[in-house]
Amino acid sequence: LALAVGKDIDYVAISIPCHSREGGNPSGDEEIFILAKSCITKYLDHPLFKDSVTCKEIKGSMLIGLNYKSLFPYFSDNQKVKNNPKVFSILSGEFVTTEDGTGIVHMAPGFGEDDQLLCKANNIPTLCPVDEGGKFTNEIFDLPLLQGGMLSLKNRQVFETNDDIIKYLKITGSWIKTEQYFHNYPHCWRTDTPLIYRAISSWYVEVTNFKDKMIANNQEINWIPGNVKDGQFGK
């Protein structure tokens, strides 16, 4: 629902001829790509950047507040975000680094702590189109592909959809390259299966409000073994 940049990070605007890539903008002679200046060397060997020209250097602070077109159309008509000017805009994130990627980070509130906190601070609501089984909900509706067929993600486990998502990005001209990142990843300690971060509704009980009543009622319970009454539970 948003992008994050580092306000003090140096970014560059790079001009790339449209003929350099499939799916490029057919209405003009060039496209402008923005990425962190320190990340350029990671992309210079890519055919797309063969005839590229750096046309401007900018601070991340100059990008903050700009709007952009989302890669996917799923939430453009969602009533929770439809008239929210902060949705699909560029935000300032202290956690943004240039060690990997482009120095620009997608924000998905509901699927990460940094994403959640930054979006909440900017009044962007939490949308969570993944169910308890890790499958996309009906909010992720089918999308027609230019070459025929459909991108169908709903009711599918999120880990099984990567290839189809990459294929869609290629068809729509939004894909540059696919990379693998080796890093620690959360796994279930019981089954050793990979997990995803996902926001869920929670409730809490303020036990201190009725602690004394619980301690008194505990004396009326017949505990077996008896030492639990004033031991593990009583304490």
Side-chain angles (χ1 to χ4, degrees):
L1 295 180
L3 298 177
V5 299
K7 67 180 188 323
D8 296 321
I9 294 176
D10 293 317
Y11 292 86
V12 290
I14 299 178
S15 172
I16 296 179
C18 283
H19 62 75
S20 297
R21 71 185 183 106
E22 183 179 353
N25 179 13
S27 62
D29 296 326
E30 64 179 9
E31 289 184 292
I32 304 297
F33 284 70
I34 298 175
L35 68 159
K37 182 178 180 180
S38 61
C39 295
I40 293 178
T41 54
K42 294 185 291 186
Y43 295 93
L44 289 180
D45 60 344
H46 192 282
L48 177 66
F49 291 84
K50 179 181 178 182
D51 299 319
S52 64
V53 176
T54 299
C55 52
K56 191 175 183 64
E57 294 188 14
I58 49 179
K59 282 287 185 182
S61 56
M62 297 177 64
L63 299 171
I64 296 170
L66 296 177
N67 289 100
Y68 68 94
K69 182 179 178 181
S70 175
L71 291 173
F72 295 91
Y74 296 124
F75 298 109
S76 57
D77 291 326
N78 187 287
Q79 292 303 313
K80 291 184 178 179
V81 302
K82 192 171 184 179
N83 297 313
N84 188 332
K86 289 287 190 175
V87 172
F88 303 135
S89 73
I90 301 177
L91 310 176
S92 174
E94 298 296 329
F95 49 83
V96 178
T97 68
T98 59
E99 296 174 1
D100 295 310
T102 62
I104 303 175
V105 184
H106 263 110
M107 293 287 98
F111 297 100
E113 184 177 8
D114 287 333
D115 307 49
Q116 179 84 19
L117 294 175
L118 181 60
C119 287
K120 183 177 181 180
N122 286 274
N123 297 315
I124 297 175
T126 297
L127 299 180
C128 196
V130 174
D131 64 19
E132 293 181 353
K135 296 181 180 180
F136 285 114
T137 63
N138 290 336
E139 292 175 285
I140 308 303
F141 49 83
D142 292 350
L143 295 175
L145 301 177
L146 297 177
Q147 301 171 345
M150 303 288 287
L151 173 67
S152 182
L153 304 178
K154 64 182 179 181
N155 300 322
R156 294 176 60 189
Q157 219 279 340
V158 295
F159 291 119
E160 299 173 355
T161 61
N162 285 336
D163 289 343
D164 286 342
I165 291 173
I166 292 173
K167 180 180 178 181
Y168 175 82
L169 294 175
K170 288 182 177 180
I171 292 174
T172 55
S174 301
W175 173 89
I176 302 299
K177 63 191 298 189
T178 301
E179 294 179 313
Q180 288 187 332
Y181 296 92
F182 294 93
H183 59 92
N184 292 329
Y185 194 84
H187 283 68
C188 173
W189 65 274
R190 294 176 184 270
T191 64
D192 201 34
T193 51
L195 304 172
I196 64 169
Y197 287 102
R198 173 180 173 270
I200 61 173
S201 298
S202 303
W203 54 267
Y204 301 87
V205 176
E206 193 169 357
V207 180
T208 52
N209 281 350
F210 49 88
K211 181 185 71 171
D212 294 341
K213 185 176 181 180
M214 289 183 67
I215 292 175
N217 287 340
N218 180 49
Q219 296 301 314
E220 306 300 321
I221 298 174
N222 180 31
W223 284 96
I224 300 175
N227 65 306
V228 174
K229 175 185 291 187
D230 297 315
Q232 183 177 7
F233 193 85
K235 292 178 180 178

